[in-house]
Amino acid sequence: MTQPLIITAAVNGAETMREHNPNVPYTPEEIALEAVRCREAGASMVHVHGREDDGTPTQARGAFAEILTEIRERSDILVQFSTGGAVWMSVEERIEALDLRPDMATLTTGTVNFGEDVFQNSLPLIRTIAERLNQYSVRPEIEIFDTGMVDTALRLVKEGLLAGPLHFDFVLGVPGGMGGRPENLDFLVGMIPEGSTWTVAGIGRYELALAKKAIDMGGHVRVGLEDNVFVSKGVLAKGSHELVAQVAEYARARGREIATPAIARELLSLG
Ligand code: KMH
Ligand code: ZN
């Protein structure tokens, strides 16, 4: 049976600035209010990065603590922390908030060119993050920017650092990573172990097309201003909630039920 659809809202990221879309939330309160709007629109999980009040990316524990408090005061939405942060950050900075025990956190299993930059994730660095996730019993969403990252995730399973059922996020269309062609999604889904769950995050113009494909395939979707700032060609989204509403509407039209946070928790084995 097809699972209810988990929609994750990636509300801010580290790279999207107000110059790109004036509606990107920076402060913990802004992030929480947007999370509430996304929940109302159909999201069951929010993927968050820390920001200073001026928008500078931060992975500081204090920033994440405030974000978590502000969201939990207002919503039952599941909260997923980024451990990717921004490309210049050290691994210690990227994982210093994990003791706050968010519902999930990301784990990128490889290095990838990221526009003009490099998103560095050596094998020792990946193991450090996986060990910290295990220490605080935080379930990972395995971020896949290219095919070899799936193999590395499977290697970590053999090493005992990751345990099934695994949950993957295929991030397609980052300049330097795997492109957003639909057949790339088919290929990646074919690589993952039976019993895994997966979501897709199409970057920029690939977001909606890949989300629709994932909904039709029985997978899950991530949308939001971290990945794409437009709701249609040339029209800026009023916030991630507008992108969530767009995919929720498509899913309903296709007869796909939308997961609540409680259902998403079950589907993702979050305990
Ligand atoms: N900002 C990117 C360099 C994640 O959140 O885990 C990394 C990223 C992945 O956004
Ligand atoms: Zn992110």
Side-chain angles (χ1 to χ4, degrees), residues 13 47 49 82 222 226:
H47 166 81
H49 288 244
S82 170
R222 177 177 113 171
E226 171 167 349

Side-chain angles (χ1 to χ4, degrees), residues 14-15 47 49 82-87 106-108 114 119 143 145 222 226:
E15 291 81 22
H47 166 81
H49 288 244
S82 170
T83 68
V87 290
T106 54
L107 174 66
T108 298
F114 199 84
F119 180 29
E143 306 293 299
F145 292 74
R222 177 177 113 171
E226 171 167 349

